Amino acid sequence: DLGATLFTAAYIGGLASCLLAIRGLRFGIAPGEAAAPGLRALLWYACTTKSADIFAYFAGKSLGRHTLAPEISPKKTVEGAIGGLLGSVAVGFALWGVAGPAGAAMSAWQVAAFGASCSVACQLGDLVESRFKRRAGVKDSAHYLPEFGGMMDMTDGLVFAAPVGL
């Protein structure tokens, strides 16, 4: 189906290109300087975003009682989503200085909003990817990376949330 192919290319290529844009950010640093602010911003974004998955997993496993979207992803819980949100905000604050000039230009409220936005977008990315897999009847390769939920689960939230990092 041409529509599905074009959508997939735009979905993956368009969102993933935001990761390259984050890496390419210069933040006013002169070319040739030793600092790599774009790389620091990308690491800050990636750690803040992936922490949503990690904290959501542990909070959901230990506290999860209420399913978030049972027809799309029956193991995701509201408690896990809240844990992911709080974890992303905490990691965002913990690594605020790593971002270099990108972080220095942000207030505490902006950092909290950044962490929360990364978490919400990451979790939405997980749900969208789960929905795609369910509609296509495709099983992921969870047996290769069982602790992480499979190959697609390693990247879906990170790629989906990439525009937030910009």
Side-chain angles (χ1 to χ4, degrees):
D1 181 43
L2 181 62
T5 302
L6 293 175
F7 175 77
T8 302
Y11 173 75
I12 294 171
L15 294 175
S17 68
C18 292
L19 295 172
L20 295 173
I22 296 168
R23 171 61 179 97
L25 294 176
R26 296 296 305 163
F27 299 110
I29 304 296
E33 286 190 33
L39 179 59
R40 291 193 308 240
L42 181 61
L43 290 172
W44 184 38
Y45 158 75
C47 290
T48 302
T49 301
K50 286 309 291 178
S51 65
D53 280 339
I54 295 165
F55 281 87
Y57 173 79
F58 286 113
K61 277 289 203 193
S62 60
L63 304 170
R65 302 287 179 268
H66 305 92
T67 56
L68 183 66
E71 53 289 331
I72 297 173
S73 188
K75 293 184 181 178
K76 291 198 187 316
T77 65
V78 172
E79 295 82 3
I82 293 169
L85 180 83
L86 296 174
S88 281
V89 171
V91 169
F93 272 109
L95 298 177
W96 189 2
V98 171
M106 296 175 78
S107 70
W109 286 107
Q110 289 171 317
V111 173
F114 176 74
S117 298
C118 286
S119 176
V120 169
C122 178
Q123 293 183 52
L124 282 174
D126 285 343
L127 291 171
V128 167
E129 197 72 38
S130 292
R131 179 72 174 147
F132 286 163
K133 289 188 298 186
R134 288 206 184 278
R135 287 205 91 209
V138 175
K139 290 287 187 184
D140 196 7
S141 53
H143 58 281
Y144 291 123
L145 295 168
E147 294 82 12
F148 298 102
M151 301 296 274
M152 292 173 76
D153 286 328
M154 288 292 295
T155 59
D156 58 4
L158 192 64
V159 171
F160 194 85
V164 172
L166 287 174

